[in-house]
Amino acid sequence: MQAQQEIDPEPVIQPTRWEGWVASILMIALCGVIFLQILGRFGFFPGRVWTEELTRWLWVWLALLGCAATEAHGQHLRMEILTSFWSSKAQFISEKLQQVVALATVLFLTWLGYKGVLRTWYNESVTLPVSDAVLYAALPIAMLLWAHRIIRRLIAP
């Protein structure tokens, strides 16, 4: 009885790992739009042109937020065959160095994404009533989330 009281179940939505939940919601929306496309192609109603573009937009946002969610869970692929033979101190230094390189890369991608948003700010989407900048905003937003995760890992003991 006492052992059950000591174990606290984890909350369903952890406030620091919401990217995965947003990506899941985007996946459900993506499946819904694709289903709508299928119904339109089978003649249940006239096909909607905007579903093609929305599918691509949802996929981009889903993929990039999924990258940030993967970093939040520490599940990006790692090659550790060489470092597994190193001392623990060398492994620690190697890990921190890899994180610094990853942070520099992600911040560079953030900058490129920001420039893309500025470049497309006044372009209107072909079939959706929004600016193309909404699509391009996925990159800097996801990369900032990813950078936030890397910084948290860097400063963690």
Side-chain angles (χ1 to χ4, degrees):
M1 191 73 96
Q2 178 114 6
Q4 286 181 340
Q5 290 175 350
E6 290 177 12
I7 299 174
D8 250 356
E10 288 188 30
V12 176
I13 299 177
Q14 296 179 355
T16 58
R17 294 187 178 178
W18 57 269
E19 298 100 331
W21 286 95
V22 173
S24 298
I25 292 167
L26 288 174
M27 178 61 107
I28 292 167
L30 178 65
C31 290
V33 173
I34 290 173
F35 183 68
L36 190 65
Q37 286 177 334
I38 291 169
L39 291 177
R41 289 180 183 170
F42 277 107
F44 289 104
F45 51 81
R48 308 288 184 234
V49 177
W50 56 267
T51 58
E52 290 288 331
E53 191 169 14
L54 183 58
T55 299
R56 283 191 299 275
W57 285 38
L58 288 171
W59 181 249
V60 168
W61 274 91
L62 169 68
L64 291 172
L65 285 177
C67 287
T70 302
E71 181 62 33
H73 294 278
Q75 295 178 334
H76 280 286
L77 291 175
R78 297 184 179 275
M79 302 300 281
E80 298 175 342
I81 192 163
L82 178 64
T83 58
S84 65
F85 296 109
W86 295 356
S87 68
S88 59
K89 184 175 183 177
Q91 288 179 3
F92 177 80
I93 292 170
S94 171
E95 178 68 26
K96 293 298 180 185
L97 247 153
Q98 290 173 38
Q99 289 173 354
V100 168
V101 170
L103 180 62
T105 303
V106 166
L107 290 176
F108 178 68
L109 289 172
T110 303
W111 172 247
L112 289 179
Y114 173 72
K115 287 177 21 178
V117 169
L118 292 180
R119 190 182 73 244
T120 59
W121 189 263
Y122 295 105
N123 297 353
E124 189 173 322
S125 165
V126 176
T127 61
L128 300 173
V130 294
S131 168
D132 280 340
V134 174
L135 173 64
Y136 285 88
L139 182 62
I141 289 172
M143 293 302 109
L144 281 176
L145 291 170
W146 195 345
H148 168 72
R149 299 297 182 187
I150 293 172
I151 290 168
R152 288 182 64 175
R153 284 219 171 99
L154 273 170
I155 61 175

